[in-house]
Amino acid sequence: MKRDIEIAQETELLPITEVAAGIGLGAEDVELYGRYKAKVSYAALRAVQERPQGKLILVTAISPTPAGEGKSTTTVGLGQALARLGERVIIALREPSLGPCMGIKGGAAGGGYSQVVPMEDINLHFTGDLHAITSAHNLLAALLDNHLQQGNELDIDPRRVVWKRVVDLNDRALRHIVIGLGGKVNGVPREDGFDITVASEIMAILCLARDLDDLKARIARIIVAYRRDGRPVTAGELRAQGALTALLKEALKPNLVQTLEHVPAFVHGGPFANIAHGCNSLTATKTALHMADYVVTEAGFGADLGAEKFFDIACRYGELTPCAAVVVATVRALKMHGGVAKAELDRPDVEAVRRGCVNLEKHLENIAAFGVPAVVAVNEFATDTREEWEEVVACCRRHGVPAVLSSVFADGGAGGIELAKEVRTLAKADAAFAPLYPLSMSVVDKIRTVATRIYGAADVVLAPAAEKTLADIAAYGYDELPVCIAKTPYSFSDDPSRIGRPEGFTLHVRELRIAAGAGFIVALTGDVMTMPGLPKRPAAEQIDVDAEGRISGLF
């Protein structure tokens, strides 16, 4: 089969104005970025708010493995399949980060014959949203350090500056740095560091903000440092919110593209799910809901991370009610959870599938805990056997959940028709969706609730540094915010080597961060990092461009 990029480059795309017209947007409603990309104008965003809402479908997955699951591919393929059934459908996805594209994970445009296009643009600079977020974040850092240099009127403690800098690349050398060296004119010397852009609170804010006014208000609430007396210092006190909002005013508009089968897709916002809340923007999702009968969106990594945060954070702030969830799995990934090495996955092993299904079972239990009906989409591989597939079906049947073989990678929307029919049936029922915990619960109990009910932990232990921040959270009135747990995606525990379904473990919270602008408390667990590093053989080594500007090696 051809590489993803070859399939994408050989597809004849519709002008984006035609795609826009198909969902009721005129030429005056879209702002073009070339022939095949556009942003939706603020006037159009406001105009659609009075229309009735369609049904929201979440695509999530089992705990990811090196074997691959295909969540974004399923999201795109399902949208294409619903369109083939005659439904008005819009897909809503996150924007890819350059970090994974140039590192190891790859992009987020789907794969095979279920992709959003133009895939090279989407996976690289796209419409510049991530660059705008990077610039806004670093402007705030520069204003903060300038304040220290110019007399420190707010009495900021340089040892308690919590606002780092960001770059949209995996660069481990920037995790811990010292700035302000070289004499008085170069600033106040202090320790600093870089996070990856998609871990920025500004990324989370962009994805949760209702409009420009809400965006500006949330930016003003960002905590950047603490005074010597312990009180927090906000971006609003640095008078930064206006300039940052100016840098972000275009980035807040959703990006409109299309799939290989010309289904409209909003690709907007991109917080990681292991270190942030892992969902595309509420602006895109809510706008799509007013323009289509079905909106298919995805949440990052497994259901323990992306889906939990989608339900407990995004749905809460966006007042969303998902009608159904699709849990993506593969026979190969389940065999890995059953203890089979990657090199042995082509060998039939029904018993390994049976062992690995405990991971799938836990994710199904977790989706049910939110009152959302689910269907399992098993991405088909040529090496799968009928006996292995029947083992997955039997596992799902025990939980009262249908399982459907999906071939959307190889066959596009045609390979997802049965999945689309199951989703449509589930969406007709009245879902009893509810978040996992009330906001009135204490921060520790919120973390413990997620850890015990979703991860399967026995208890939670906070490090001394986290305990200290807990006191600040209570003192300054942030204890009624939801929690966003930063955890390895590869295990329910905080230890990535504990695959399958570990139980009875202790979740170790090493640090708490108050994301007052985004509106949640970040709990960092285990060894999860907010600035990844590159692998021994980065994907960037394979990427090239010819004399005509045609890119190769991206995927």
Side-chain angles (χ1 to χ4, degrees):
M1 186 169 169
K2 296 176 181 177
R3 293 171 61 90
D4 291 352
I5 194 168
E6 294 171 333
I7 294 170
Q9 290 173 341
E10 291 174 2
T11 299
E12 185 174 344
L13 304 186
L14 293 178
I16 198 63
T17 49
E18 291 187 28
V19 178
I23 53 174
L25 295 175
E28 70 281 2
D29 296 322
V30 292
E31 299 162 3
L32 303 183
Y33 284 66
R35 294 191 68 197
Y36 306 116
K37 300 170 290 182
K39 281 188 172 287
V40 181
S41 72
Y42 285 126
L45 294 178
R46 289 190 293 269
V48 302
Q49 295 307 308
E50 301 305 316
R51 300 182 188 175
Q53 289 195 31
K55 295 181 180 296
L56 180 60
I57 312 300
L58 175 70
V59 178
T60 183
I62 62 173
S63 302
T65 71
E69 289 69 51
K71 189 164 69 292
S72 297
T73 302
T74 300
T75 302
V76 177
L78 172 58
Q80 293 182 152
L82 285 166
R84 283 172 177 256
L85 292 176
E87 304 292 353
R88 292 191 310 149
V89 59
I90 297 176
I91 295 161
L93 290 170
R94 291 175 296 163
E95 297 180 55
S97 163
L98 287 178
C101 287
M102 300 297 168
I104 191 171
K105 182 178 177 290
Y113 289 90
S114 292
Q115 299 184 57
V116 283
V117 282
M119 69 89 80
E120 308 101 301
D121 294 359
I122 293 168
N123 280 310
L124 296 177
H125 301 290
F126 202 16
T127 58
D129 292 346
L130 269 73
H131 300 310
I133 292 166
T134 301
S135 297
H137 183 113
N138 290 335
L139 172 59
L140 181 52
L143 290 170
L144 171 60
D145 278 302
N146 185 61
H147 185 89
L148 292 174
Q149 172 75 359
Q150 303 294 347
N152 195 8
E153 180 183 323
L154 295 172
D155 197 30
I156 295 170
D157 184 346
R159 299 163 301 178
R160 296 199 68 194
V161 172
V162 295
W163 191 255
K164 295 183 178 182
R165 286 160 165 81
V166 297
V167 63
D168 189 34
L169 291 168
N170 295 357
D171 194 346
R172 61 171 57 84
L174 295 177
R175 288 173 186 160
H176 305 286
I177 63 174
V178 177
I179 63 172
L181 300 180
K184 186 175 181 180
V185 296
N186 293 319
V188 176
R190 64 178 184 84
E191 293 184 41
D192 198 6
F194 276 75
D195 292 332
I196 192 166
T197 296
V198 287
S200 169
E201 185 178 350
I202 290 178
M203 171 63 86
I205 287 172
L206 184 92
C207 289
L208 294 171
R210 295 187 305 273
D211 49 33
L212 279 172
D213 287 341
D214 188 36
L215 178 71
K216 188 188 301 183
R218 286 174 176 271
I219 289 171
R221 294 198 293 269
I222 294 172
I223 295 174
V224 296
Y226 291 86
R227 294 173 172 83
R228 297 184 195 277
D229 65 6
R231 289 179 296 137
V233 178
T234 65
E237 291 177 285
L238 293 173
R239 297 182 291 279
Q241 65 270 31
L244 268 66
T245 304
L247 287 174
L248 296 167
K249 77 176 183 70
E250 297 303 309
L252 185 60
K253 300 172 183 175
N255 305 301
L256 177 64
V257 289
Q258 62 191 291
T259 75
L260 293 175
E261 297 181 12
H262 313 308
V263 175
F266 286 134
V267 180
H268 192 224
F272 276 179
N274 60 334
I275 51 183
H277 73 283
C279 314
N280 68 282
S281 77
L282 286 178
T283 304
T285 301
K286 293 183 67 120
T287 300
L289 282 168
H290 289 292
M291 303 177 78
D293 296 324
Y294 290 90
V295 174
V296 185
T297 189
E298 60 126 51
F301 291 119
D304 57 320
L305 285 171
E308 183 273 318
K309 294 169 184 178
F310 179 78
F311 293 145
D312 279 327
I313 297 174
C315 288
R316 201 188 298 262
Y317 280 121
E319 299 179 333
L320 304 174
T321 302
C323 297
V326 177
V327 180
V328 181
T330 64
V331 166
R332 294 165 62 84
L334 291 172
K335 284 195 281 192
M336 286 202 81
H337 279 293
V340 176
K342 186 177 180 181
E344 302 295 323
L345 292 178
D346 290 348
R347 181 173 56 83
D349 193 334
V350 175
E351 182 54 38
V353 175
R354 184 177 297 119
R355 293 194 303 269
C357 274
V358 296
N359 186 270
L360 173 59
E361 287 175 334
K362 178 58 176 163
H363 285 294
L364 294 179
E365 292 171 13
N366 290 345
I367 297 297
F370 292 95
V372 178
V375 56
V376 173
V378 183
N379 276 334
E380 202 171 9
F381 279 77
T383 55
D384 299 346
T385 67
R386 181 175 182 82
E387 291 75 18
E388 290 172 325
W389 158 241
E390 288 175 347
E391 185 61 40
V392 180
V393 172
C395 167
C396 296
R397 189 181 297 121
R398 289 193 294 270
H399 290 268
V401 173
V404 179
L405 271 177
S406 170
S407 62
V408 295
F409 181 89
D411 301 320
I417 295 296
E418 292 308 311
L419 175 61
K421 289 178 179 178
E422 285 286 357
V423 165
R424 198 165 58 175
T425 298
L426 289 179
K428 290 177 181 176
D430 292 328
F433 167 73
L436 196 65
Y437 53 79
L439 294 180
S440 58
M441 185 181 281
S442 72
V443 170
V444 171
D445 284 342
K446 290 170 193 167
I447 296 171
R448 183 174 288 113
T449 298
V450 175
T452 56
R453 293 190 60 188
I454 302 300
Y455 305 160
D459 202 3
V460 172
V461 172
L462 271 62
E467 290 279 8
K468 186 179 185 307
T469 306
L470 196 62
D472 291 337
I473 290 169
Y476 301 115
Y478 298 112
D479 43 1
E480 291 204 354
L481 295 178
V483 295
C484 180
I485 301 179
K487 180 183 72 68
T488 176
Y490 302 113
S491 172
F492 285 112
S493 74
D494 51 18
D495 178 356
S497 68
R498 298 188 67 176
I499 58 176
R501 183 177 181 169
E503 294 181 297
F505 57 88
T506 298
L507 187 76
H508 298 89
V509 178
R510 74 171 195 268
E511 183 182 349
L512 293 175
R513 296 180 183 175
I514 306 170
F520 50 70
I521 304 297
V522 181
L524 284 91
T525 70
D527 296 325
V528 68
M529 292 177 294
T530 51
M531 169 55 83
L534 291 171
K536 188 173 183 179
R537 293 284 182 266
E541 294 181 1
Q542 309 302 318
I543 298 172
D544 202 357
V545 59
D546 65 19
E548 302 300 319
R550 192 176 181 89
I551 293 172
S552 62
L554 190 56
F555 300 102

